Amino acid sequence: KQSNPFDYLKNHFIILSRKIKGFGNIFEEPRVGEDFAYFPLHFEPEIATMLYAPFFTNQIALIQNISKSLPVTFKLYIKEHPDMVYRRPTSYYEELKKLPNVRLINHKIDSLLLIKRARLVLTITGTVGWEAAMLSKSVITFGHAFYNKLSSVRSCHKPEDISLVIKESLESQPATDEELVDFISAILDNSIDFD
């Protein structure tokens, strides 16, 4: 199907107007000494949500469930996907800001910094989960990610199980260096070179 050039122009005009208008004080900086779980928003539409996690395509609903399931002392840090900045309406972020333990983190903050400081990383199937596992962090996924086999990664497939999976993840031991090396070696052994 050919895309309509007027739709293309309309989308670019919307993005430009959001850039000019800005987001006001919706986004925050991380707080020092705060216990938090980190959830990066996914690009949409994307195979990661639509095919690998078909029951968790509504990220707002998933975040609401995560927010309710975290320990009371925790905050949930949400960061926008770099390629989605200015593509979502302000109302999307305002809906997330209604949750009392959610902080929308400035999209310019390095994800690696957030991963290192987080007590727990949650993702639908994103690369952030793989990066966190490599840094010996506990990870929860909500879809079929290749790194789900690691002992530090738990996969949650039902919203009613989120609280239990969070509790188990916070009490679990990180993956050992030996396990991580074995896992990466297995990936390399089963990979092929191609141009």
Side-chain angles (χ1 to χ4, degrees):
K1 180 183 173 186
Q2 293 257 326
S3 54
N4 184 335
F6 293 107
D7 287 342
Y8 177 82
L9 289 172
K10 178 183 165 191
N11 287 338
H12 278 280
F13 177 75
I14 289 169
I15 291 167
L16 181 62
S17 69
R18 287 178 184 154
K19 281 182 182 177
I20 292 167
K21 198 163 50 167
F23 290 117
N25 60 354
I26 288 180
F27 297 106
E28 308 178 45
E29 301 296 314
R31 308 265 175 106
V32 176
E34 190 166 62
D35 279 337
F36 68 91
Y38 173 45
F39 182 92
L41 290 169
H42 277 265
F43 185 87
E44 292 184 274
E46 185 183 41
I47 193 172
T49 53
M50 300 181 83
L51 182 62
Y52 297 147
F55 300 109
F56 291 102
T57 56
N58 183 340
Q59 292 188 85
I60 290 178
L62 177 56
I63 290 166
Q64 289 168 337
N65 285 321
I66 293 169
S67 168
K68 294 173 194 169
S69 303
L70 284 172
V72 289
T73 57
F74 271 61
K75 294 292 183 185
L76 179 58
Y77 282 17
I78 309 291
K79 187 179 156 221
E80 182 57 279
H81 189 285
D83 292 333
M84 288 297 291
V85 176
Y86 302 114
R87 294 185 182 274
R88 294 186 221 265
T90 308
S91 59
Y92 189 95
Y93 305 117
E94 288 168 347
E95 191 66 29
L96 294 174
K97 289 280 280 187
K98 291 178 185 175
L99 300 166
N101 62 342
V102 163
R103 291 197 196 288
L104 291 174
I105 301 301
N106 187 326
H107 64 273
K108 294 177 182 171
I109 299 291
D110 185 5
S111 283
L112 207 52
L113 174 75
L114 295 174
I115 292 169
K116 287 177 181 176
R117 288 187 43 206
R119 290 275 310 277
L120 178 65
V121 174
L122 304 102
T123 182
I124 298 176
T125 60
T127 310
V128 164
W130 171 243
E131 293 168 346
M134 292 297 101
L135 290 169
S136 297
K137 291 288 182 176
S138 293
V139 178
I140 297 173
T141 64
F142 296 93
H144 302 288
F146 73 92
Y147 52 85
N148 278 355
K149 298 289 183 196
L150 287 166
S151 64
S152 59
V153 179
R154 284 174 173 63
S155 191
C156 183
H157 298 288
K158 294 188 277 187
E160 60 268 24
D161 292 343
I162 295 174
S163 292
L164 178 63
V165 176
I166 287 174
K167 183 178 185 302
E168 290 172 352
S169 293
L170 289 171
E171 293 171 354
S172 71
Q173 295 296 315
T176 63
D177 289 345
E178 183 181 7
E179 180 187 0
L180 295 173
V181 168
D182 287 347
F183 190 77
I184 293 169
S185 298
I187 291 172
L188 292 174
D189 285 347
N190 290 285
S191 300
I192 58 168
D193 289 326
F194 70 97
D195 185 358

